[in-house]
Amino acid sequence: MKEPKKTGGCVICGNPKDERYKPFCSKRCADVDLNRWFSGAYAIPAVESDDPKSDESQS
Ligand SMILES: [Zn+2]
């Protein structure tokens, strides 16, 4: 069992991090992580939430 360390490198592939994309090494790995979010690990209520006609009482 290995736990990813904050300073160990890209949290996705382990390559050296890039300042622009940390904690990832590249935009590709950042996208991989983003896809994990959208795959159901987290719910992001930021999609079309500006619609005043949306009724928030459905949750
Ligand atoms: Zn990476």
Tab-separated table of all heavy atoms in Angstrom:
chain	number	residue	atom	x	y	z
A	1	MET	N	0.838	-1.212	0.000
A	1	MET	CA	0.000	0.000	0.000
A	1	MET	C	0.862	1.247	0.000
A	1	MET	O	1.678	1.441	0.867
A	1	MET	CB	-0.876	0.027	1.252
A	1	MET	CG	-2.238	-0.588	1.019
A	1	MET	SD	-3.426	-0.027	2.207
A	1	MET	CE	-2.671	-0.463	3.770
A	2	LYS	N	0.637	2.075	-0.980
A	2	LYS	CA	1.374	3.339	-1.024
A	2	LYS	C	0.402	4.499	-0.999
A	2	LYS	O	-0.548	4.532	-1.765
A	2	LYS	CB	2.211	3.420	-2.306
A	2	LYS	CG	3.387	2.458	-2.286
A	2	LYS	CD	4.084	2.463	-3.624
A	2	LYS	CE	4.677	3.822	-3.960
A	2	LYS	NZ	5.374	3.806	-5.254
A	3	GLU	N	0.665	5.422	-0.130
A	3	GLU	CA	-0.168	6.621	-0.096
A	3	GLU	C	0.510	7.737	-0.884
A	3	GLU	O	1.705	7.956	-0.721
A	3	GLU	CB	-0.367	7.092	1.347
A	3	GLU	CG	-1.270	6.172	2.135
A	3	GLU	CD	-1.572	6.777	3.498
A	3	GLU	OE1	-1.352	7.989	3.677
A	3	GLU	OE2	-2.023	6.030	4.366
A	4	PRO	N	-0.272	8.408	-1.723
A	4	PRO	CA	0.306	9.533	-2.470
A	4	PRO	C	0.691	10.666	-1.539
A	4	PRO	O	-0.073	11.061	-0.675
A	4	PRO	CB	-0.835	9.948	-3.409
A	4	PRO	CG	-2.075	9.415	-2.766
A	4	PRO	CD	-1.661	8.182	-2.006
A	5	LYS	N	1.891	11.160	-1.713
A	5	LYS	CA	2.338	12.279	-0.882
A	5	LYS	C	2.174	13.595	-1.630
A	5	LYS	O	2.302	13.644	-2.844
A	5	LYS	CB	3.807	12.090	-0.501
A	5	LYS	CG	4.021	10.874	0.398
A	5	LYS	CD	5.495	10.757	0.756
A	5	LYS	CE	5.700	9.542	1.656
A	5	LYS	NZ	7.125	9.382	2.023
A	6	LYS	N	1.953	14.638	-0.883
A	6	LYS	CA	1.738	15.946	-1.511
A	6	LYS	C	2.959	16.397	-2.301
A	6	LYS	O	2.844	17.099	-3.281
A	6	LYS	CB	1.409	16.986	-0.427
A	6	LYS	CG	0.037	16.780	0.189
A	6	LYS	CD	-0.240	17.855	1.219
A	6	LYS	CE	-1.629	17.666	1.820
A	6	LYS	NZ	-1.898	18.689	2.863
A	7	THR	N	4.104	15.983	-1.832
A	7	THR	CA	5.325	16.432	-2.500
A	7	THR	C	5.946	15.314	-3.331
A	7	THR	O	7.047	15.436	-3.815
A	7	THR	CB	6.343	16.937	-1.472
A	7	THR	OG1	6.576	15.907	-0.522
A	7	THR	CG2	5.827	18.169	-0.762
A	8	GLY	N	5.219	14.233	-3.495
A	8	GLY	CA	5.795	13.089	-4.180
A	8	GLY	C	5.706	13.169	-5.682
A	8	GLY	O	6.323	12.383	-6.380
A	9	GLY	N	4.915	14.081	-6.203
A	9	GLY	CA	4.750	14.187	-7.647
A	9	GLY	C	3.289	14.228	-8.012
A	9	GLY	O	2.415	14.366	-7.156
A	10	CYS	N	3.026	14.083	-9.286
A	10	CYS	CA	1.663	14.086	-9.788
A	10	CYS	C	0.823	13.048	-9.064
A	10	CYS	O	1.239	11.896	-8.924
A	10	CYS	CB	1.693	13.791	-11.288
A	10	CYS	SG	0.065	13.599	-12.010
A	11	VAL	N	-0.346	13.447	-8.602
A	11	VAL	CA	-1.180	12.525	-7.837
A	11	VAL	C	-1.805	11.467	-8.740
A	11	VAL	O	-2.357	10.489	-8.268
A	11	VAL	CB	-2.298	13.289	-7.089
A	11	VAL	CG1	-1.689	14.233	-6.076
A	11	VAL	CG2	-3.196	14.031	-8.046
A	12	ILE	N	-1.730	11.676	-10.025
A	12	ILE	CA	-2.304	10.714	-10.962
A	12	ILE	C	-1.265	9.702	-11.412
A	12	ILE	O	-1.471	8.497	-11.331
A	12	ILE	CB	-2.885	11.436	-12.194
A	12	ILE	CG1	-3.965	12.420	-11.767
A	12	ILE	CG2	-3.434	10.422	-13.199
A	12	ILE	CD1	-5.155	11.785	-11.086
A	13	CYS	N	-0.135	10.177	-11.904
A	13	CYS	CA	0.828	9.263	-12.503
A	13	CYS	C	2.170	9.259	-11.784
A	13	CYS	O	2.996	8.397	-12.029
A	13	CYS	CB	1.015	9.605	-13.978
A	13	CYS	SG	1.856	11.164	-14.242
A	14	GLY	N	2.387	10.212	-10.889
A	14	GLY	CA	3.617	10.207	-10.119
A	14	GLY	C	4.766	10.974	-10.747
A	14	GLY	O	5.832	11.073	-10.153
A	15	ASN	N	4.563	11.512	-11.931
A	15	ASN	CA	5.618	12.299	-12.567
A	15	ASN	C	5.799	13.623	-11.829
A	15	ASN	O	4.904	14.052	-11.092
A	15	ASN	CB	5.246	12.572	-14.027
A	15	ASN	CG	5.434	11.347	-14.897
A	15	ASN	OD1	6.203	10.451	-14.565
A	15	ASN	ND2	4.717	11.301	-15.994
A	16	PRO	N	6.921	14.274	-12.018
A	16	PRO	CA	7.162	15.580	-11.392
A	16	PRO	C	6.050	16.568	-11.723
A	16	PRO	O	5.595	16.625	-12.866
A	16	PRO	CB	8.490	16.030	-12.002
A	16	PRO	CG	9.180	14.766	-12.366
A	16	PRO	CD	8.078	13.814	-12.780
A	17	LYS	N	5.620	17.299	-10.721
A	17	LYS	CA	4.507	18.221	-10.924
A	17	LYS	C	4.922	19.451	-11.716
A	17	LYS	O	6.070	19.866	-11.698
A	17	LYS	CB	3.953	18.657	-9.562
A	17	LYS	CG	3.144	17.563	-8.909
A	17	LYS	CD	2.628	18.010	-7.578
A	17	LYS	CE	3.725	17.976	-6.530
A	17	LYS	NZ	3.199	18.159	-5.169
A	18	ASP	N	3.924	20.013	-12.379
A	18	ASP	CA	4.143	21.265	-13.090
A	18	ASP	C	3.497	22.380	-12.289
A	18	ASP	O	2.386	22.227	-11.783
A	18	ASP	CB	3.509	21.182	-14.485
A	18	ASP	CG	3.851	22.401	-15.328
A	18	ASP	OD1	3.388	23.504	-14.989
A	18	ASP	OD2	4.559	22.241	-16.323
A	19	GLU	N	4.163	23.492	-12.164
A	19	GLU	CA	3.647	24.599	-11.369
A	19	GLU	C	2.254	25.022	-11.815
A	19	GLU	O	1.408	25.397	-11.021
A	19	GLU	CB	4.590	25.801	-11.472
A	19	GLU	CG	5.739	25.736	-10.472
A	19	GLU	CD	5.233	25.835	-9.038
A	19	GLU	OE1	4.442	26.737	-8.761
A	19	GLU	OE2	5.633	25.003	-8.216
A	20	ARG	N	2.023	24.935	-13.106
A	20	ARG	CA	0.742	25.411	-13.633
A	20	ARG	C	-0.386	24.427	-13.361
A	20	ARG	O	-1.547	24.798	-13.353
A	20	ARG	CB	0.860	25.644	-15.139
A	20	ARG	CG	1.686	26.847	-15.489
A	20	ARG	CD	1.924	26.902	-16.979
A	20	ARG	NE	2.701	25.752	-17.434
A	20	ARG	CZ	3.058	25.548	-18.694
A	20	ARG	NH1	2.681	26.399	-19.622
A	20	ARG	NH2	3.768	24.506	-19.029
A	21	TYR	N	-0.013	23.165	-13.176
A	21	TYR	CA	-1.056	22.146	-13.078
A	21	TYR	C	-1.037	21.402	-11.758
A	21	TYR	O	-1.775	20.441	-11.585
A	21	TYR	CB	-0.911	21.149	-14.224
A	21	TYR	CG	-1.014	21.791	-15.583
A	21	TYR	CD1	0.066	21.807	-16.443
A	21	TYR	CD2	-2.208	22.388	-15.978
A	21	TYR	CE1	-0.026	22.394	-17.689
A	21	TYR	CE2	-2.307	22.985	-17.215
A	21	TYR	CZ	-1.212	22.978	-18.069
A	21	TYR	OH	-1.319	23.561	-19.293
A	22	LYS	N	-0.166	21.801	-10.841
A	22	LYS	CA	-0.078	21.078	-9.582
A	22	LYS	C	-1.441	20.991	-8.905
A	22	LYS	O	-2.240	21.934	-9.011
A	22	LYS	CB	0.963	21.713	-8.661
A	22	LYS	CG	0.636	23.140	-8.209
A	22	LYS	CD	1.768	23.677	-7.360
A	22	LYS	CE	1.487	25.111	-6.922
A	22	LYS	NZ	2.569	25.660	-6.112
A	23	PRO	N	-1.763	19.899	-8.246
A	23	PRO	CA	-0.829	18.807	-7.934
A	23	PRO	C	-0.651	17.796	-9.058
A	23	PRO	O	-0.342	16.631	-8.794
A	23	PRO	CB	-1.497	18.168	-6.713
A	23	PRO	CG	-2.962	18.311	-6.990
A	23	PRO	CD	-3.095	19.642	-7.697
A	24	PHE	N	-0.798	18.231	-10.279
A	24	PHE	CA	-0.644	17.315	-11.405
A	24	PHE	C	0.596	17.679	-12.213
A	24	PHE	O	1.157	18.754	-12.058
A	24	PHE	CB	-1.879	17.352	-12.304
A	24	PHE	CG	-3.155	17.256	-11.519
A	24	PHE	CD1	-3.933	18.373	-11.310
A	24	PHE	CD2	-3.554	16.055	-10.971
A	24	PHE	CE1	-5.099	18.297	-10.568
A	24	PHE	CE2	-4.721	15.960	-10.227
A	24	PHE	CZ	-5.493	17.084	-10.027
A	25	CYS	N	0.955	16.772	-13.135
A	25	CYS	CA	2.148	17.028	-13.938
A	25	CYS	C	1.779	17.691	-15.252
A	25	CYS	O	2.621	18.238	-15.943
A	25	CYS	CB	2.883	15.714	-14.201
A	25	CYS	SG	1.972	14.601	-15.298
A	26	SER	N	0.509	17.603	-15.597
A	26	SER	CA	0.090	18.123	-16.892
A	26	SER	C	-1.420	18.318	-16.899
A	26	SER	O	-2.129	17.846	-16.011
A	26	SER	CB	0.473	17.138	-17.995
A	26	SER	OG	-0.238	15.939	-17.818
A	27	LYS	N	-1.888	19.005	-17.939
A	27	LYS	CA	-3.326	19.201	-18.042
A	27	LYS	C	-4.042	17.866	-18.233
A	27	LYS	O	-5.170	17.675	-17.803
A	27	LYS	CB	-3.642	20.136	-19.208
A	27	LYS	CG	-5.116	20.522	-19.243
A	27	LYS	CD	-5.390	21.514	-20.353
A	27	LYS	CE	-6.813	22.037	-20.230
A	27	LYS	NZ	-7.809	20.958	-20.300
A	28	ARG	N	-3.342	16.940	-18.872
A	28	ARG	CA	-3.957	15.648	-19.108
A	28	ARG	C	-4.304	14.963	-17.783
A	28	ARG	O	-5.395	14.439	-17.608
A	28	ARG	CB	-3.015	14.747	-19.920
A	28	ARG	CG	-3.647	13.466	-20.351
A	28	ARG	CD	-2.716	12.689	-21.236
A	28	ARG	NE	-1.524	12.244	-20.508
A	28	ARG	CZ	-1.464	11.104	-19.843
A	28	ARG	NH1	-2.492	10.299	-19.818
A	28	ARG	NH2	-0.371	10.764	-19.206
A	29	CYS	N	-3.364	15.002	-16.858
A	29	CYS	CA	-3.619	14.368	-15.569
A	29	CYS	C	-4.662	15.155	-14.781
A	29	CYS	O	-5.458	14.580	-14.051
A	29	CYS	CB	-2.323	14.232	-14.779
A	29	CYS	SG	-1.310	12.863	-15.378
A	30	ALA	N	-4.659	16.474	-14.943
A	30	ALA	CA	-5.686	17.274	-14.291
A	30	ALA	C	-7.059	16.882	-14.812
A	30	ALA	O	-8.035	16.797	-14.067
A	30	ALA	CB	-5.430	18.760	-14.535
A	31	ASP	N	-7.135	16.612	-16.105
A	31	ASP	CA	-8.395	16.192	-16.708
A	31	ASP	C	-8.811	14.819	-16.193
A	31	ASP	O	-9.985	14.549	-15.969
A	31	ASP	CB	-8.266	16.139	-18.229
A	31	ASP	CG	-8.284	17.536	-18.837
A	31	ASP	OD1	-8.692	18.477	-18.136
A	31	ASP	OD2	-7.899	17.671	-20.001
A	32	VAL	N	-7.840	13.958	-15.999
A	32	VAL	CA	-8.137	12.634	-15.453
A	32	VAL	C	-8.795	12.767	-14.086
A	32	VAL	O	-9.800	12.131	-13.789
A	32	VAL	CB	-6.851	11.791	-15.339
A	32	VAL	CG1	-7.124	10.511	-14.541
A	32	VAL	CG2	-6.333	11.435	-16.720
A	33	ASP	N	-8.233	13.660	-13.268
A	33	ASP	CA	-8.789	13.860	-11.946
A	33	ASP	C	-10.173	14.474	-12.035
A	33	ASP	O	-11.089	14.098	-11.303
A	33	ASP	CB	-7.862	14.764	-11.133
A	33	ASP	CG	-8.324	14.862	-9.686
A	33	ASP	OD1	-8.183	13.849	-8.969
A	33	ASP	OD2	-8.837	15.912	-9.291
A	34	LEU	N	-10.327	15.410	-12.980
A	34	LEU	CA	-11.618	16.059	-13.155
A	34	LEU	C	-12.671	15.025	-13.549
A	34	LEU	O	-13.797	15.038	-13.067
A	34	LEU	CB	-11.503	17.132	-14.233
A	34	LEU	CG	-12.696	18.089	-14.321
A	34	LEU	CD1	-12.804	18.914	-13.043
A	34	LEU	CD2	-12.544	19.013	-15.506
A	35	ASN	N	-12.284	14.105	-14.412
A	35	ASN	CA	-13.215	13.067	-14.832
A	35	ASN	C	-13.617	12.185	-13.668
A	35	ASN	O	-14.729	11.672	-13.617
A	35	ASN	CB	-12.581	12.215	-15.934
A	35	ASN	CG	-12.532	12.968	-17.251
A	35	ASN	OD1	-13.343	13.852	-17.489
A	35	ASN	ND2	-11.584	12.615	-18.096
A	36	ARG	N	-12.716	12.018	-12.735
A	36	ARG	CA	-13.053	11.230	-11.553
A	36	ARG	C	-14.154	11.917	-10.762
A	36	ARG	O	-15.036	11.278	-10.224
A	36	ARG	CB	-11.816	11.054	-10.667
A	36	ARG	CG	-10.820	10.070	-11.262
A	36	ARG	CD	-9.676	9.890	-10.328
A	36	ARG	NE	-8.705	8.930	-10.856
A	36	ARG	CZ	-7.576	8.600	-10.231
A	36	ARG	NH1	-7.280	9.162	-9.084
A	36	ARG	NH2	-6.761	7.723	-10.765
A	37	TRP	N	-14.060	13.222	-10.716
A	37	TRP	CA	-15.102	13.976	-10.016
A	37	TRP	C	-16.445	13.749	-10.701
A	37	TRP	O	-17.443	13.430	-10.066
A	37	TRP	CB	-14.775	15.476	-10.048
A	37	TRP	CG	-13.735	15.891	-9.061
A	37	TRP	CD1	-12.490	15.358	-8.907
A	37	TRP	CD2	-13.850	16.919	-8.075
A	37	TRP	NE1	-11.835	16.017	-7.896
A	37	TRP	CE2	-12.632	16.971	-7.374
A	37	TRP	CE3	-14.877	17.808	-7.736
A	37	TRP	CZ2	-12.416	17.884	-6.341
A	37	TRP	CZ3	-14.657	18.723	-6.732
A	37	TRP	CH2	-13.438	18.748	-6.040
A	38	PHE	N	-16.431	13.888	-12.002
A	38	PHE	CA	-17.691	13.782	-12.734
A	38	PHE	C	-18.197	12.356	-12.769
A	38	PHE	O	-19.358	12.108	-13.068
A	38	PHE	CB	-17.516	14.303	-14.158
A	38	PHE	CG	-17.490	15.811	-14.217
A	38	PHE	CD1	-16.389	16.472	-14.716
A	38	PHE	CD2	-18.574	16.544	-13.759
A	38	PHE	CE1	-16.361	17.855	-14.764
A	38	PHE	CE2	-18.549	17.917	-13.799
A	38	PHE	CZ	-17.442	18.580	-14.306
A	39	SER	N	-17.345	11.400	-12.495
A	39	SER	CA	-17.766	10.005	-12.543
A	39	SER	C	-18.595	9.624	-11.332
A	39	SER	O	-19.062	8.503	-11.232
A	39	SER	CB	-16.553	9.091	-12.685
A	39	SER	OG	-15.798	9.118	-11.496
A	40	GLY	N	-18.783	10.534	-10.418
A	40	GLY	CA	-19.706	10.253	-9.335
A	40	GLY	C	-19.131	10.363	-7.944
A	40	GLY	O	-19.849	10.249	-6.968
A	41	ALA	N	-17.827	10.578	-7.842
A	41	ALA	CA	-17.232	10.675	-6.521
A	41	ALA	C	-17.729	11.927	-5.795
A	41	ALA	O	-17.900	11.937	-4.594
A	41	ALA	CB	-15.715	10.699	-6.621
A	42	TYR	N	-17.957	12.968	-6.569
A	42	TYR	CA	-18.443	14.207	-5.996
A	42	TYR	C	-19.590	14.756	-6.840
A	42	TYR	O	-19.636	14.546	-8.039
A	42	TYR	CB	-17.341	15.264	-5.945
A	42	TYR	CG	-16.140	14.845	-5.157
A	42	TYR	CD1	-15.092	14.192	-5.770
A	42	TYR	CD2	-16.072	15.112	-3.791
A	42	TYR	CE1	-13.983	13.806	-5.054
A	42	TYR	CE2	-14.973	14.727	-3.068
A	42	TYR	CZ	-13.928	14.080	-3.694
A	42	TYR	OH	-12.841	13.709	-2.981
A	43	ALA	N	-20.458	15.486	-6.215
A	43	ALA	CA	-21.505	16.152	-6.970
A	43	ALA	C	-21.165	17.635	-7.057
A	43	ALA	O	-20.906	18.273	-6.055
A	43	ALA	CB	-22.847	15.974	-6.283
A	44	ILE	N	-21.133	18.133	-8.276
A	44	ILE	CA	-20.791	19.537	-8.463
A	44	ILE	C	-22.030	20.310	-8.921
A	44	ILE	O	-22.423	20.234	-10.074
A	44	ILE	CB	-19.675	19.703	-9.499
A	44	ILE	CG1	-18.454	18.885	-9.077
A	44	ILE	CG2	-19.312	21.173	-9.640
A	44	ILE	CD1	-17.329	18.943	-10.086
A	45	PRO	N	-22.662	21.038	-8.005
A	45	PRO	CA	-23.901	21.752	-8.331
A	45	PRO	C	-23.645	23.074	-9.029
A	45	PRO	O	-24.227	24.082	-8.690
A	45	PRO	CB	-24.520	21.975	-6.951
A	45	PRO	CG	-23.339	22.130	-6.048
A	45	PRO	CD	-22.259	21.226	-6.629
A	46	ALA	N	-22.755	23.068	-9.988
A	46	ALA	CA	-22.382	24.318	-10.642
A	46	ALA	C	-22.870	24.359	-12.082
A	46	ALA	O	-22.518	25.221	-12.840
A	46	ALA	CB	-20.875	24.493	-10.609
A	47	VAL	N	-23.684	23.397	-12.457
A	47	VAL	CA	-24.144	23.323	-13.836
A	47	VAL	C	-25.533	23.935	-13.965
A	47	VAL	O	-26.498	23.457	-13.388
A	47	VAL	CB	-24.174	21.861	-14.310
A	47	VAL	CG1	-24.654	21.795	-15.752
A	47	VAL	CG2	-22.792	21.245	-14.181
A	48	GLU	N	-25.613	25.022	-14.685
A	48	GLU	CA	-26.877	25.679	-14.952
A	48	GLU	C	-27.661	26.010	-13.681
A	48	GLU	O	-28.869	25.920	-13.638
A	48	GLU	CB	-27.745	24.802	-15.865
A	48	GLU	CG	-27.089	24.590	-17.229
A	48	GLU	CD	-28.011	23.805	-18.137
A	48	GLU	OE1	-29.169	23.614	-17.775
A	48	GLU	OE2	-27.549	23.391	-19.218
A	49	SER	N	-26.931	26.386	-12.643
A	49	SER	CA	-27.602	26.688	-11.387
A	49	SER	C	-28.053	28.146	-11.331
A	49	SER	O	-28.602	28.588	-10.346
A	49	SER	CB	-26.682	26.389	-10.211
A	49	SER	OG	-25.512	27.169	-10.314
A	50	ASP	N	-27.771	28.870	-12.401
A	50	ASP	CA	-28.143	30.281	-12.431
A	50	ASP	C	-29.564	30.503	-12.942
A	50	ASP	O	-30.063	31.612	-12.962
A	50	ASP	CB	-27.172	31.067	-13.308
A	50	ASP	CG	-25.848	31.296	-12.610
A	50	ASP	OD1	-25.815	31.250	-11.377
A	50	ASP	OD2	-24.857	31.520	-13.314
A	51	ASP	N	-30.197	29.433	-13.377
A	51	ASP	CA	-31.540	29.562	-13.891
A	51	ASP	C	-32.522	29.861	-12.750
A	51	ASP	O	-32.724	29.041	-11.869
A	51	ASP	CB	-31.935	28.246	-14.578
A	51	ASP	CG	-33.224	28.417	-15.339
A	51	ASP	OD1	-33.968	29.392	-15.070
A	51	ASP	OD2	-33.497	27.575	-16.210
A	52	PRO	N	-33.100	31.070	-12.747
A	52	PRO	CA	-34.006	31.441	-11.647
A	52	PRO	C	-35.273	30.607	-11.625
A	52	PRO	O	-35.980	30.585	-10.626
A	52	PRO	CB	-34.318	32.917	-11.938
A	52	PRO	CG	-34.101	33.055	-13.413
A	52	PRO	CD	-32.987	32.087	-13.759
A	53	LYS	N	-35.519	29.923	-12.721
A	53	LYS	CA	-36.715	29.093	-12.775
A	53	LYS	C	-36.479	27.702	-12.192
A	53	LYS	O	-37.414	26.943	-11.987
A	53	LYS	CB	-37.194	28.951	-14.227
A	53	LYS	CG	-37.821	30.264	-14.725
A	53	LYS	CD	-38.255	30.120	-16.175
A	53	LYS	CE	-37.043	29.992	-17.080
A	53	LYS	NZ	-37.415	30.063	-18.500
A	54	SER	N	-35.202	27.408	-11.948
A	54	SER	CA	-34.896	26.105	-11.369
A	54	SER	C	-35.404	26.041	-9.936
A	54	SER	O	-35.164	26.925	-9.133
A	54	SER	CB	-33.393	25.847	-11.377
A	54	SER	OG	-32.963	25.637	-12.707
A	55	ASP	N	-36.088	25.013	-9.642
A	55	ASP	CA	-36.618	24.845	-8.307
A	55	ASP	C	-35.649	23.997	-7.494
A	55	ASP	O	-35.395	22.858	-7.815
A	55	ASP	CB	-37.978	24.151	-8.375
A	55	ASP	CG	-38.739	24.326	-7.071
A	55	ASP	OD1	-38.121	24.736	-6.066
A	55	ASP	OD2	-39.947	24.047	-7.052
A	56	GLU	N	-35.078	24.589	-6.452
A	56	GLU	CA	-34.067	23.881	-5.693
A	56	GLU	C	-34.670	22.949	-4.650
A	56	GLU	O	-33.994	22.355	-3.866
A	56	GLU	CB	-33.140	24.873	-4.997
A	56	GLU	CG	-32.310	25.683	-5.988
A	56	GLU	CD	-31.348	26.604	-5.242
A	56	GLU	OE1	-31.806	27.314	-4.339
A	56	GLU	OE2	-30.155	26.595	-5.566
A	57	SER	N	-35.975	22.847	-4.645
A	57	SER	CA	-36.617	22.064	-3.590
A	57	SER	C	-36.730	20.599	-3.974
A	57	SER	O	-37.383	19.834	-3.291
A	57	SER	CB	-38.008	22.623	-3.300
A	57	SER	OG	-38.823	22.472	-4.448
A	58	GLN	N	-36.069	20.221	-5.070
A	58	GLN	CA	-36.238	18.833	-5.509
A	58	GLN	C	-35.194	17.900	-4.908
A	58	GLN	O	-35.121	16.749	-5.229
A	58	GLN	CB	-36.157	18.760	-7.026
A	58	GLN	CG	-34.844	19.298	-7.576
A	58	GLN	CD	-34.829	19.218	-9.091
A	58	GLN	OE1	-35.361	18.311	-9.668
A	58	GLN	NE2	-34.202	20.200	-9.737
A	59	SER	N	-34.386	18.406	-4.035
A	59	SER	CA	-33.417	17.544	-3.372
A	59	SER	C	-33.892	17.290	-1.962
A	59	SER	O	-33.834	16.395	-1.369
A	59	SER	CB	-32.048	18.218	-3.294
A	59	SER	OG	-32.141	19.376	-2.496
B	1	ZN	ZN	0.599	13.074	-14.134
